[in-house]
């Protein structure tokens, strides 16, 4: 009888342990199932977000291409679409717009206009774009990426035409670049590039600067003209236009010839 009682006790313990074990398995499976559901929902959400960002990229990079509608109409429609997505996709939109400055420099005025339209709908967005472009410009100059630096400068100054920045800010940037020519012991190739960057950007903003900041623009052009007049004009043989200086010597043209 004692043995039987022990067997009954062991059986009860075994049944309880088995029941507990089965409950644990059930709970573990339930947790795995719930975790799997969460992962599925996250994956679906991620795919949905990726699809939206791909569509935004396609719309932004495609604006200004051949279309049956006018460019003005396409830009206004695109600005409306992007404005509605700024809250949830602001970072991606900002990255794409700043990317166009260097990837699509031939459409600078298209994208500067788009930034202006977005700025009208979301006041702080234009300032955010300018900050991003300036940061990219500084990075390009630091890494000696002078081609992209010139494209970025062009995009920044063109934003004055879209009422994103004021003419005084553009003049401040130009004056900062030209001030390099006044540095002591500076390599001519360095000062040449900064002057060239300003000259190459002037066509995008020269008209409005002449109207709004005429005196400052004249002073800037005088500074550039004086620099060009005093710089070393010994041309590298491979860059010479003529083989000899007879009958006409190669010379640099005054900046005034381009604007007057």
């Amino acid at each position: 009888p004692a043995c039987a009682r022990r067997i009954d006790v062991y059986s009860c313990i075994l049944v309880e342990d088995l029941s507990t074990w089965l409950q644990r398995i059930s709970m573990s499976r339930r947790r795995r199932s719930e975790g799997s559901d969460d992962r599925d929902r996250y994956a679906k959400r991620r795919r949905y977000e990726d699809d939206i960002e791909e569509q935004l990229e396609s719309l932004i990079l495609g604006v200004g291409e051949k279309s049956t509608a006018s460019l003005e109409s396409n830009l206004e429609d695109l600005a409306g679409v992007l404005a509605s997505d700024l809250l949830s996709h602001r970072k991606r939109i900002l990255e794409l717009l700043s990317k166009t400055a260097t990837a699509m420099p031939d459409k600078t005025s298209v994208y500067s206009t788009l930034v202006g339209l977005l700025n009208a709908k979301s006041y702080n967005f234009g300032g955010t774009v300018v900050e991003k472009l300036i940061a990219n410009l500084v990075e390009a100059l630091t890494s000696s990426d002078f081609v992209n630096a010139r494209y970025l400068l062009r995009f920044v100054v063109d934003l004055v035409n879209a009422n994103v920045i004021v003419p005084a800010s553009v003049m401040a940037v130009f004056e900062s670049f030209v001030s390099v020519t006044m540095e002591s012991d500076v390599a001519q190739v360095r000062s040449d590039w900064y002057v060239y960057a300003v000259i190459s950007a002037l066509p995008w903003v020269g008209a409005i600067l002449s109207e709004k900041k005429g005196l400052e623009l004249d002073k800037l052009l005088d500074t550039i003209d004086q620099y060009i007049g005093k710089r070393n004009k010994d041309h590298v043989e491979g860059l010479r236009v003529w083989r000899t200086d007879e009958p006409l010597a190669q010379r640099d043209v005054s900046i005034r010839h381009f604007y007057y």
Side-chain angles (χ1 to χ4, degrees), residues 54-70:
E54 287 178 4
Q55 292 173 9
L56 290 174
E57 180 175 359
S58 178
L59 288 172
I60 290 174
L61 300 185
V63 69
E65 303 298 331
K66 187 175 181 180
S67 172
T68 55
S70 67

Side-chain angles (χ1 to χ4, degrees), residues 203-219:
W204 272 261
V205 74
I208 194 168
L209 289 183
S210 179
E211 178 185 349
K212 303 290 186 182
K213 293 289 179 180
L215 293 177
E216 291 87 344
L217 179 61
D218 283 342
K219 184 178 178 181

Side-chain angles (χ1 to χ4, degrees), residues 118-161:
L118 284 170
N119 190 54
K121 297 177 182 294
S122 179
Y123 180 73
N124 293 327
F125 185 71
T128 305
V129 172
V130 174
E131 290 176 0
K132 175 68 172 175
L133 291 171
I134 293 297
N136 290 351
L137 174 58
V138 171
E139 182 180 352
L141 291 172
T142 303
S143 61
S144 301
D145 186 359
F146 297 115
V147 173
N148 282 336
R150 186 164 57 88
Y151 291 152
L152 287 162
L153 176 65
R154 180 196 300 176
F155 196 112
V156 169
V157 302
D158 194 35
L159 289 173
V160 74
N161 297 307

Side-chain angles (χ1 to χ4, degrees), residues 133-134 136-142 145-157 169-183 186-202 220 223-224 227:
L133 291 171
I134 293 297
N136 290 351
L137 174 58
V138 171
E139 182 180 352
L141 291 172
T142 303
D145 186 359
F146 297 115
V147 173
N148 282 336
R150 186 164 57 88
Y151 291 152
L152 287 162
L153 176 65
R154 180 196 300 176
F155 196 112
V156 169
V157 302
S169 297
V170 173
M171 286 304 308
V173 172
F174 282 164
E175 289 167 357
S176 175
F177 269 52
V178 173
S179 68
V180 173
T181 63
M182 303 174 190
E183 295 177 357
V186 60
Q188 181 170 297
V189 65
R190 170 180 165 83
S191 52
D192 276 358
W193 184 87
Y194 277 92
V195 170
Y196 167 64
V198 171
I199 293 172
S200 66
L202 276 173
L220 180 76
T223 302
I224 293 175
Y227 170 74

